[in-house]
Amino acid sequence: MALPNLLTRQHIQTGLEQAADRCSHPDAGLFGPGSVIWQLLRENLTALAQGRTLLLALANSRLSQLMPSHHDAVQRIQHTQVFLLKVVFGNLDQALVTLNSQKARNKTLFDVDDSDTLVYALSAWVDSCMTVHQSVIEPINSALQERLFEEAMLLAQVMGIPQQALPADWHRWRRWWQHRLARPVSLSPRRQQVLDALLREQGYPGRTPYGAYYPHAAYQLPGHWQQACQLPQRNLDRHRQHQRQLQRLMDITRNLPERLRYQPAFQEAQQRLRGRARADLATRLLNRWWTGESELVSSGWSIPKVDRLTSASY
């Protein structure tokens, strides 16, 4: 058995320094409004991706150790969401402070010290968001998927994963990820209990207006996961029900105003790029509801009008 590639504090520092050197507009952050990852994570609908990410994490022996109970699983998933929102939508300083904070990272699914597991955790999150997005909002073509891969690998680098431990290109990553999903799945009784408590009993994440992830689970994972995770078996009636639920989600997403459709952190970042020192009251209240924090990525200081980005709306 090959030894794991352990990450050290030096790996993280090297990744942060490389990210700082590559950032061309510090106030826009590591990625900026034109990035694919901004367009992906801005959708509140991606809250449903937390259910799929949870399934994938419980299937990994190392990640499952971070979630001994369903309460721990909820905390991990929610802290991971907030962590990524700060890194993706924050300015350069906010992103680097978040990435450099061991306390913040210890609460997330990224609290692992080997690169293979960290790449798996990051891939599970990004692929789950992309799967939900493509199912409900619109397909993501291969060119945008390649750009998303490059942005995800930048995210992996700033988390401390060495370049040599990352897939060389999008095609290799897709083959590697498909191979991981094709592996046999076996959940211990404890992991199955956590899964049942969250997805089947509580309907996690259950965030209105999108509902629970459980009805979609069997259709967004390979077939052999159904028996291993005790998911509902696919049949004609359940397929029709699934299609009706997807249509309902499409209608809800299409009719929601942008204020409710998009993540408050995304709106907060746009307001920051327009020069606001703090997000407006509505954004702060929505942030509190979604994340438990009023402000995630406000700068705290106003940008002079002459230096503001006039095209910050995307």
Side-chain angles (χ1 to χ4, degrees):
M1 178 183 291
L3 293 175
N5 297 312
L6 297 180
L7 301 177
T8 65
R9 192 66 185 170
Q10 183 59 43
H11 287 124
I12 297 175
Q13 292 298 326
T14 300
L16 296 179
E17 291 171 5
Q18 292 174 347
D21 291 339
R22 292 176 57 178
C23 185
S24 58
H25 197 298
D27 197 51
L30 293 172
F31 304 100
S35 64
V36 180
I37 199 167
W38 266 53
Q39 312 311 309
L40 192 66
L41 292 187
R42 72 179 181 176
E43 299 282 351
N44 278 324
L45 178 74
T46 53
L48 282 179
Q50 296 177 15
R52 187 175 185 271
T53 304
L54 175 66
L55 280 167
L56 295 172
L58 287 172
N60 182 279
S61 57
R62 177 66 183 88
L63 291 177
S64 66
Q65 294 175 16
L66 301 176
M67 301 178 288
S69 71
H70 67 279
H71 297 293
D72 294 300
V74 170
Q75 292 296 315
R76 288 279 177 183
I77 291 288
Q78 291 179 345
H79 282 299
T80 302
Q81 173 84 355
V82 173
F83 181 89
L84 286 175
L85 289 175
K86 290 180 178 180
V87 171
V88 171
F89 294 119
N91 61 29
L92 180 61
D93 288 340
Q94 291 165 336
L96 296 183
V97 167
T98 302
L99 289 162
N100 198 41
S101 172
Q102 193 63 39
K103 181 179 179 181
R105 189 160 169 168
N106 285 346
K107 299 177 181 179
T108 71
L109 287 175
F110 307 132
D111 182 24
V112 290
D113 56 5
D114 67 279
S115 59
D116 293 339
T117 305
L118 188 53
V119 171
Y120 178 91
L122 186 58
S123 298
W125 192 277
V126 172
D127 187 60
S128 296
C129 290
M130 186 168 63
T131 299
V132 171
H133 189 282
Q134 294 197 113
S135 298
V136 179
I137 299 174
E138 62 181 353
I140 302 177
N141 62 40
S142 57
L144 292 179
Q145 288 187 37
E146 289 193 51
R147 283 181 54 193
L148 179 61
F149 162 78
E150 294 171 358
E151 293 162 7
M153 292 305 100
L154 172 59
L155 192 56
Q157 282 184 273
V158 298
M159 288 185 183
I161 303 177
Q163 182 69 40
Q164 60 270 21
L166 296 173
D169 54 58
W170 175 69
H171 299 285
R172 294 187 186 182
W173 176 76
R174 289 303 301 173
R175 288 196 297 269
W176 169 81
W177 183 241
Q178 290 167 3
H179 177 71
R180 292 299 296 263
L181 293 180
R183 288 182 180 179
V185 182
S186 177
L187 297 185
S188 66
R190 180 192 63 80
R191 294 193 228 173
Q192 189 64 54
Q193 185 178 11
V194 172
L195 178 63
D196 291 344
L198 285 172
L199 294 189
R200 189 173 287 109
E201 296 176 15
Q202 296 184 7
Y204 185 81
R207 290 288 181 88
T208 56
Y210 301 113
Y213 174 73
Y214 185 69
H216 308 282
Y219 294 89
Q220 294 187 344
L221 288 166
H224 65 281
W225 285 68
Q226 296 176 30
Q227 184 175 1
C229 300
Q230 298 180 15
L231 298 174
Q233 295 298 310
R234 300 176 187 176
N235 56 40
L236 183 58
D237 288 340
R238 288 202 176 97
H239 177 73
R240 288 172 176 169
Q241 182 184 9
H242 174 62
Q243 291 301 316
R244 286 195 298 268
Q245 290 169 333
L246 285 182
Q247 186 61 53
R248 171 179 167 271
L249 289 175
M250 292 177 188
D251 293 339
I252 290 174
T253 303
R254 182 169 57 248
N255 293 320
L256 279 177
E258 290 189 1
R259 172 71 74 176
L260 297 178
R261 173 177 170 176
Y262 295 145
Q263 279 281 349
F266 166 75
Q267 299 172 32
E268 193 180 351
Q270 285 195 313
Q271 293 175 26
R272 183 189 72 235
L273 292 176
R274 296 192 191 104
R276 290 185 65 108
R278 295 189 66 193
D280 60 32
L281 178 60
T283 300
R284 297 201 302 272
L285 291 175
L286 287 168
N287 244 339
R288 171 68 67 176
W289 189 81
W290 277 101
T291 68
E293 300 181 34
S294 298
E295 293 179 291
L296 297 181
V297 294
S298 292
S299 63
W301 50 273
S302 182
I303 302 174
K305 193 170 184 179
V306 68
D307 296 327
R308 297 180 186 179
L309 293 184
T310 58
S311 59
S313 297
Y314 289 79

